[in-house]
Amino acid sequence: MRDPFLQAAIDEAKRGLSEGGIPIGSVLVHHGTIIGRGHNMRVQKDDPLLHGEMSAFQQAGRQPAGVYRECVLYTTLSPCPMCSGTSLLYKIPKIVIAENVTFLGAEDWLRSQGVELTVVQDEECIAMMRDFIKARPELWHEDIAV
């Protein structure tokens, strides 16, 4: 059975895909409760900063520093340098990554800063991203600045 928080992130990714966007989702969890959820909305909102993780942080709103230090970030794809930097800024101690096969983000940097990473290699997420990249390579390359 899949972790329910990872499933929530996957549901967000599917929501983004259904809206015509990039299928990457994320949830921010504090003591077993989702306090922020989001999906990549670069296309939908015409905003280059709204990656899935950034959307989850934004939806969580302002939080005391102590809350962030007790959170787990779940994301369907390995976090890029921007999303990794935000996680480091707010001292997120643990990130659960559904997959890093289709894109390897700044995992070495996160680990070097003491962040605990769990990479699941979820087959559904891998297939969803592979299908998206094949169908929309220009949009994918725009998202990762290639």
Side-chain angles (χ1 to χ4, degrees):
M1 188 165 109
R2 186 182 277 148
D3 179 303
F5 299 123
L6 186 59
Q7 183 62 57
I10 293 168
D11 292 344
E12 284 293 327
K14 289 177 180 177
R15 181 173 170 206
L17 184 61
S18 75
E19 295 170 352
I22 299 165
I24 303 168
S26 186
V27 295
L28 189 62
V29 177
H30 182 254
H31 292 294
T33 300
I34 296 173
I35 63 170
R37 62 176 63 235
H39 52 278
N40 187 303
M41 291 190 286
R42 293 182 74 251
V43 173
Q44 300 92 312
K45 301 264 185 172
D46 196 30
D47 186 334
L49 302 180
L50 285 180
H51 282 196
E53 299 90 338
M54 302 299 278
S55 295
F57 276 106
Q58 185 181 57
Q59 202 268 331
R62 290 176 56 199
Q63 298 293 327
V67 169
Y68 290 121
R69 285 189 220 111
E70 297 173 340
C71 283
V72 178
L73 180 66
Y74 289 78
T75 184
T76 59
L77 189 64
S78 185
C80 74
M82 175 178 66
C83 297
S84 295
T86 300
S87 297
L88 290 173
L89 175 67
Y90 291 108
K91 298 180 176 50
I92 303 298
K94 181 176 181 177
I95 301 175
V96 177
I97 300 165
E99 68 105 345
N100 65 4
V101 172
T102 61
F103 177 79
L104 179 60
E107 292 181 24
D108 287 343
W109 182 33
L110 288 163
R111 283 188 186 99
S112 77
Q113 299 300 306
V115 178
E116 178 187 346
L117 301 182
T118 300
V119 182
V120 177
Q121 303 303 20
D122 184 273
E123 291 298 325
E124 181 181 8
C125 286
I126 294 168
M128 183 169 43
M129 281 306 299
R130 281 186 174 150
D131 291 347
F132 176 79
I133 292 166
K134 183 178 179 183
R136 301 290 312 270
E138 75 291 342
L139 189 54
W140 173 239
H141 291 146
E142 176 188 317
D143 193 57
I144 58 171
V146 172

